[in-house]
Amino acid sequence: MNAAAIRQLVISALAGKTDAEDRVYSPRDLSTTEDIYPAILVQTPFDLKNSLGRNAPQFNTVTTVRITGRLQELDDIAEDNGAVKAEESLEQLREQIERAVINSYDLTRQIQQFLQIRSTIGINAAGEGHTAQLLMELDIEYYQGPEEFYPIEADPLQGIDVTIIEPDGTQQVGVTIDLPQ
């Protein structure tokens, strides 16, 4: 398990489970356009490893998954309510993201805990409509052991020769096992 695997599990958990439907992107740069809204971007910008001892490389690792949700709402003809609609849509998107990720069996069975979840909402009326952004960070803790850092590279086993040492006067016994290729 590593940050890239965590990111992929989060992407899988989100796909089709929010108002963004299948518009979940990673990796992707941060520029987006209104024709793909609502959209979700997933990144893993921080990774922190806390050692579990001096002898073997074992860590409780915390990967921060940054989820950025973007959408746009327009004012109704009779009302200046685009900002209200944008904030309500972002709150709904935040709820959907939390439920999709926290309830993901594939993710939760491979981690220790969701250490912390932080989110902020921002709305900008500088364009044609009200562009809104949700920034959510999930600190996900999991174990990394020696198997993550020392992959075993060995020559394939060809065969085994065993010799049994018997007391003097006893016939020498031996076994040879050839392994199929």
Side-chain angles (χ1 to χ4, degrees):
M1 183 64 54
N2 58 30
I6 292 290
R7 182 175 51 83
Q8 283 303 121
L9 288 167
V10 170
I11 291 167
S12 296
L14 291 171
K17 300 220 175 68
T18 68
D19 289 341
E21 298 171 356
D22 64 342
R23 292 180 302 275
V24 179
Y25 304 105
S26 182
R28 182 187 172 112
D29 61 15
L30 294 179
S31 63
T32 54
T33 56
E34 65 186 64
D35 59 321
I36 66 167
Y37 291 150
I40 295 174
L41 308 174
V42 181
Q43 301 168 304
T44 51
F46 304 108
D47 203 38
L48 174 68
K49 295 179 184 345
N50 293 304
S51 178
L52 295 175
R54 296 180 188 272
N55 295 327
Q58 296 180 59
F59 300 94
N60 273 337
T61 300
V62 177
T63 294
T64 300
V65 178
R66 180 178 294 152
I67 300 172
T68 306
R70 293 192 178 146
L71 56 89
Q72 182 179 39
E73 294 287 350
L74 301 173
D75 291 330
D76 289 334
I77 294 173
E79 281 187 72
D80 183 18
N81 62 349
V84 172
K85 291 182 350 184
E87 185 152 349
E88 289 172 350
S89 294
L90 277 183
E91 289 171 342
Q92 179 176 315
L93 186 62
R94 174 172 41 199
E95 241 354 88
Q96 292 169 347
I97 290 169
E98 282 180 4
R99 287 183 180 161
V101 174
I102 291 171
N103 290 330
S104 169
Y105 176 73
D106 287 339
L107 175 62
T108 56
R109 72 185 179 88
Q110 297 184 59
I111 66 170
Q112 291 173 294
Q113 66 175 324
F114 293 98
L115 191 61
Q116 198 173 61
I117 299 174
R118 297 171 301 283
S119 65
T120 59
I121 288 177
I123 299 172
N124 184 341
E128 182 179 331
H130 292 81
T131 305
Q133 178 170 292
L134 164 70
L135 181 62
M136 181 179 283
E137 292 183 332
L138 296 89
D139 292 336
I140 300 175
E141 182 182 73
Y142 54 96
Y143 171 78
Q144 286 185 302
E147 64 280 356
E148 296 283 332
F149 304 100
Y150 296 116
I152 298 172
E153 296 178 16
D155 294 326
L157 186 61
Q158 302 293 323
I160 300 173
D161 291 330
V162 178
T163 303
I164 301 170
I165 299 175
E166 297 285 341
D168 288 341
T170 308
Q171 185 178 2
Q172 191 74 6
V173 179
V175 176
T176 300
I177 302 171
D178 290 322
L179 302 173
Q181 295 295 328

